[in-house]
Structures are given as C-alpha cells and as structure tokens.
Amino acid sequence: MTLSEELSWRGFVNQTTLKDITALDKAPLTFYWGVDPSADSMQIGNLAAAMMVRHFIDYGHQAVLLVGGATGLIGDPDGKSQERELQTEEQVASNKAKIIVQYRTIFAGQSFKVVDNYDWFKGMTYLQFLRDIGKHVPMRQMLGRDFVQSRLGEDGSGISYAEFSYSLIQGYDFLHLNREHDVSLQVCGADQWGNSIAGVDLIRRVSGNEAHVWSTPLIIDKSTGVKFGKSEAGAVWLDPAKTTPTQFYQFWINSDDAAVEEYLKIYTLLPKEEIESLMATHRTGPEKRLAQTKLAQEVTALVHGKANARIAEGVTLIITDKKPLDEAEDSVMQELYSQIQRLVIPMQAITAKHPEASIIDGLNMTLLTESKSEARRLLAQGAVYVNGKKTDKEFFEASDFRNGRLLLRRGKAFKDSALIELG
C-alpha cells in the first residue's frame, strides 16, 4: 500500500493543495506539523493528527514537529467567538516543555526534529516583521477570513490586532521552515486550513517557492456529535495527571459500534488486514466488544505505555465483573484506590443489617449520589450495581464481599464507582 492509499483508507484525507495526492508516494519530502501550547497537554483531537504524522514518517518523509512558543503567546482566534485570555510567558514555557515530552512519547523510535517558533521570533523587531512579512500580505486576504468576518460583524465581539495578526505569524513559520529546513508541506487539522494557506501564499510571494498543505478531517464523537478537542467539555487529555490511563482506556472501550472501526483506523497502527479481520469477528458478536477492547489496548499502550495499559484493562475487567475482585493484582487495586471513593464498614453492621450496611447510605457516603432520596430513586430504577450485577436490595450482605471488598456502582461509568471494604 502506498502512503496516499494508506491515508485515504484510514480517513486522513480532507483538503489539500496537491493536485494529485500520489505526489506523496514519490521522492521523500520534509513536512511540518505544529501544536500551540495553549494548554499543558495535547488531547485526542491532536492525537489524531499525530497518528497521521506517524504514517508520513513510516513512509520515509522527514518530520519537523513545531511547538508554538511564539504563537502560544497570542492564541489562535480561528473558531473563537471571544478574545482569548493571554497566558504568561511562564505558563507558555511550562506548557511547551510538557508538549515536547508528549511528542517524544508518541513518536518514540521515529526520526523527527523538534523546533520552537519562539526561537526565530524572539529577536525579530516590529519594523522588521512589517517590512519582511506584512508588506507581502494583502489586507483583502486577511479580512476575508471567516473568523474575522464573524468577529467584526454586527453581533461580533470584535478582534484585537494581535489575534488578527495570528495567521501572519503562523504563515511566517512555514516560510522560515521552508528556508531553513527545506520544508515544503504543512500537515494540519481541518480547522488550521486558513492559517496554513497563508503560509503557502507567503512563501510564493516572498521566495517564489512551491509549498503545499495537507489537512485531515476533525474527529467527531459519534455519540455526542461534538468534535474531539481541548476546548470542549469533557476533553480527553494525553497527560495522565489530567486524564488517568484508566479513564483514557475507559473512553476508548466505551466507543460506539458505529465509530469503533473509524477509530481503529485513525488511532492505531494496526494494518488494514488485521483491522478488517477484527471487525468481521466483532460483527458476529458485538456484545463482546472485541473491537473496542483492542482499540483501548492499542491507544492506551501508545500514549501511556504497555504496563499502564495492562493495569487499566485490569481495572476495567473488575469494574465490569469479568474478573472477580479478589483476583485483582496489587497494581490494579492501587489504581482502584487512587481513582474511586472508598468506604469502610464494620462486619457486625452487615450481620445486624445496621444502617451502616445500607446500600442507600453507601451510595450517599461515597458521593455517588447527592442525597439519600436520589439513592433510593436510583435503586428503584435498577441503576445500582454491586460487583457489576444490578441490585434492588437495601443492604449489603456478607456474600457480596470478596476478600473483604465489593464494588458499588451507579450507572455504567467507571467514575461512578466506589470500593466498599470491611473493617
């Protein structure tokens, strides 16, 4: 399979300035992909583009990975209805360092170069930028951008000169990399198309060189219709301090059947034949969630390492009652302790059916419900589980405990679980 065929099959084709995408199958080229340090971590929207970059590298193209130390000080206004709040230089520097670490994790074992656009902007004067860059950029081009029109319209919030100039800064990145590193292609998400085209046009006007853009579609959560992105509520981060490996694993294993094949193509490096075989088996028994399990294993191992992926899988097996709680390895129990609420109740309370042994009290005291009345309602609705099995009883029983522990859950989400222990 050629690179153009690989990208097409996996769903990485959106807009491109290339007249023929098979140009990617010819001589190796140098390309760049960048992330602004507007947060201290990438998220799974960035990860989709990163996986596309992996394929470019695997097929012999040279990658330059940019971290936007300069652009991060301004903030990309595209898609924003309000002016961004500026981050301090210290915040941007800290975010930048963490994103570089994530680059080195995702692209471990690959050949790539990391650059920071702050390095070439920090010594540039305002007059130099206006003469060398601003002079070559038509105002009509900048004013025609959709986000500018929306912000300047009757109901718009307005736009500062700093955010208005953002595309010039990113355009210069492409020009600089074209000059210094022979970069002839920028790869990006669909939301960066306008900024990337600004770079192509600037290169043509300043040097006469030919440059191109390749964009990938934004990934949409099929269950919510919302794009994967850090600006959306409930973002899934790559930093384990923001989204733990277990939460990360749980996100993927809970993927809809309608989306899992697409996610396997985008977020894993599994070959076409293996994905097609897996999906054929999955369709014979979708309730077994074989495709979702493989997806969760692969993506979690890529981002957090195989050891953390195994622990996350072990926790999931416990949560879903596919493995008895008393068979949990120490590492799995430590992860459970760190992730969910714990409650200790005395054994005599169980035998005497004391209020301390009440499931309603257990739900309330572990903060799985906000009140006892909510706990009673959930119990009556069949939304309470003990060791993965639905229950409607009012008290815990001695037989529920395995090595002195049981798992209490409301609904089906991992985050809505608690560990009850005998003391």
Side-chain angles (χ1 to χ4, degrees):
M1 188 183 293
T2 65
L3 175 57
S4 61
E5 291 170 337
E6 183 93 54
L7 296 175
S8 298
W9 176 74
R10 290 187 182 270
F12 286 125
V13 181
N14 189 54
Q15 289 177 286
T16 180
T17 56
L18 293 168
K19 293 180 180 178
D20 182 356
I21 66 173
T22 62
L24 298 177
D25 306 329
K26 299 173 184 176
L29 53 80
T30 303
F31 69 97
Y32 96 95
W33 173 63
V35 173
D36 269 357
S38 54
D40 58 2
S41 172
M42 291 190 282
Q43 36 71 36
I44 57 174
N46 302 121
L47 181 60
M51 296 305 292
M52 179 178 68
V53 170
R54 282 288 300 258
H55 295 295
F56 273 84
I57 295 173
D58 288 343
Y59 279 87
H61 298 298
Q62 180 60 47
V64 175
L65 306 180
L66 181 145
V67 59
T71 38
L73 290 169
I74 305 300
D76 186 357
D78 206 348
K80 304 297 180 186
S81 59
Q82 300 288 333
E83 192 83 8
R84 282 178 179 268
E85 184 176 341
L86 292 177
Q87 298 195 67
T88 66
E89 291 188 25
E90 291 75 19
Q91 284 176 309
V92 172
S94 176
N95 294 350
K96 186 169 61 178
K98 292 178 181 179
I99 288 172
I100 291 174
V101 169
Q102 291 178 347
Y103 278 165
R104 301 196 187 284
T105 297
I106 296 169
F107 299 105
Q110 308 295 307
S111 174
F112 61 91
K113 181 180 297 183
V114 176
V115 296
D116 177 0
N117 61 11
Y118 184 73
D119 291 338
W120 52 84
F121 274 109
K122 63 185 177 183
M124 184 178 291
T125 66
Y126 181 63
L127 285 176
Q128 181 185 356
F129 184 73
L130 289 180
R131 286 177 62 85
D132 295 349
I133 308 304
K135 191 69 175 175
H136 297 280
V137 180
M139 282 297 294
R140 180 184 299 174
Q141 180 188 79
M142 296 183 68
L143 288 169
R145 296 287 300 278
D146 288 343
F147 78 88
V148 174
Q149 292 294 313
S150 65
R151 295 272 286 271
L152 294 179
E154 185 176 338
D155 297 325
S157 62
I159 187 169
S160 69
Y161 181 73
E163 288 199 354
F164 177 73
S165 303
Y166 180 92
S167 62
L168 293 186
I169 302 173
Q170 187 169 318
Y172 182 73
D173 287 343
F174 202 170
L175 175 62
H176 175 86
L177 294 173
N178 181 258
R179 286 169 168 170
E180 301 298 324
H181 299 281
D182 198 29
V183 170
S184 59
L185 176 72
Q186 180 179 358
V187 300
C188 62
D191 56 345
Q192 289 298 306
W193 176 258
N195 290 332
S196 303
I197 288 295
V200 170
D201 188 63
L202 185 62
I203 289 170
R204 178 181 59 80
R205 290 174 181 273
V206 173
S207 67
N209 291 341
E210 182 179 346
H212 292 281
V213 178
W214 179 283
S215 70
T216 183
L218 300 179
I219 310 304
I220 304 298
D221 187 329
K222 295 290 191 295
S223 62
T224 64
V226 174
K227 73 175 183 178
F228 288 169
K230 60 180 175 293
S231 61
E232 306 294 346
V236 180
W237 302 91
L238 306 193
D239 186 340
K242 297 169 77 73
T243 299
T244 69
T246 297
Q247 292 168 337
F248 191 81
Y249 184 97
Q250 288 279 319
F251 173 82
W252 297 109
I253 205 165
N254 287 325
S255 299
D256 286 349
D257 283 331
V260 67
E261 183 173 5
E262 175 188 349
Y263 296 165
L264 281 165
K265 292 177 181 179
I266 291 171
Y267 287 101
T268 79
L269 298 172
L270 298 174
K272 180 179 180 181
E273 297 75 15
E274 186 172 346
I275 290 177
E276 289 178 343
S277 175
L278 174 62
M279 289 307 303
T281 304
H282 172 80
R283 292 185 187 103
T284 64
E287 72 282 355
K288 297 177 183 177
R289 304 187 72 75
L290 297 177
Q292 285 90 343
T293 299
K294 186 65 173 176
L295 172 67
Q297 291 170 341
E298 291 290 319
V299 188
T300 308
L302 174 73
V303 174
H304 297 295
K306 292 181 179 179
N308 284 323
R310 283 194 295 270
I311 292 171
E313 183 175 13
V315 170
T316 299
L317 291 173
I318 297 295
I319 291 287
T320 56
D321 204 39
K322 292 179 180 176
K323 186 174 184 178
L325 188 59
D326 55 354
E327 293 182 12
E329 295 85 356
D330 289 343
S331 58
V332 171
M333 286 308 307
Q334 288 304 313
E335 178 68 6
L336 278 170
Y337 286 147
S338 71
Q339 293 292 310
I340 62 177
Q341 293 285 335
R342 296 168 64 190
L343 176 66
V344 178
I345 57 178
M347 182 64 192
Q348 55 267 34
I350 300 295
T351 55
K353 290 194 174 182
H354 188 274
E356 285 182 285
S358 161
I359 290 180
I360 290 171
D361 277 23
L363 289 166
N364 198 44
M365 294 181 69
T366 55
L367 306 180
L368 295 181
T369 58
E370 295 182 358
S371 65
K372 291 185 180 181
S373 60
E374 182 188 8
R376 291 190 187 92
R377 177 174 55 79
L378 290 171
L379 196 61
Q381 292 174 345
V384 177
Y385 297 77
V386 171
N387 295 327
K389 292 183 172 57
K390 190 179 297 185
T391 186
D392 59 0
K393 61 188 179 184
E394 295 184 12
F395 290 91
F396 296 117
E397 298 174 355
S399 59
D400 294 328
F401 291 85
R402 300 169 181 180
N403 278 357
R405 304 185 183 104
L406 67 78
L407 202 64
L408 178 65
R409 191 176 79 237
R410 56 160 294 177
K412 297 185 177 181
F414 164 70
K415 63 181 178 63
D416 294 325
S417 302
L419 197 63
I420 311 297
E421 297 183 297
L422 293 176

